[in-house]
Amino acid sequence: MALLDWRSPEHFDHSGDKPCVICTKPTPLRSDRGKPVHKVCAEDWMDRHFVKEDDA
């Protein structure tokens, strides 16, 4: 499973929650591109969409 390091303050939006682009539940978290997304949702999405070395 991919584990993202979101300890950086850029991943938290103090202006309020917005719907996660994956599960639609509210989150104050933001992706590297500024999209609202839960960390666990982003990690799960990465696991489902990126080719792993074992699969190549």
Side-chain angles (χ1 to χ4, degrees), residues 6-54:
W6 280 14
R7 290 179 280 184
S8 172
E10 295 89 41
H11 290 287
F12 188 85
D13 187 348
H14 293 280
S15 68
D17 290 354
K18 292 187 179 172
C20 173
V21 296
I22 297 173
C23 74
T24 70
K25 293 179 183 173
T27 181
L29 298 176
R30 302 296 181 261
S31 70
D32 289 341
R33 296 183 178 182
K35 302 287 184 189
V37 64
H38 296 104
K39 181 178 178 283
V40 294
C41 289
E43 291 169 341
D44 180 59
W45 185 92
M46 288 177 61
D47 278 346
R48 290 184 284 116
H49 290 90
F50 286 97
V51 176
K52 298 175 183 134
E53 288 182 23
D54 295 343

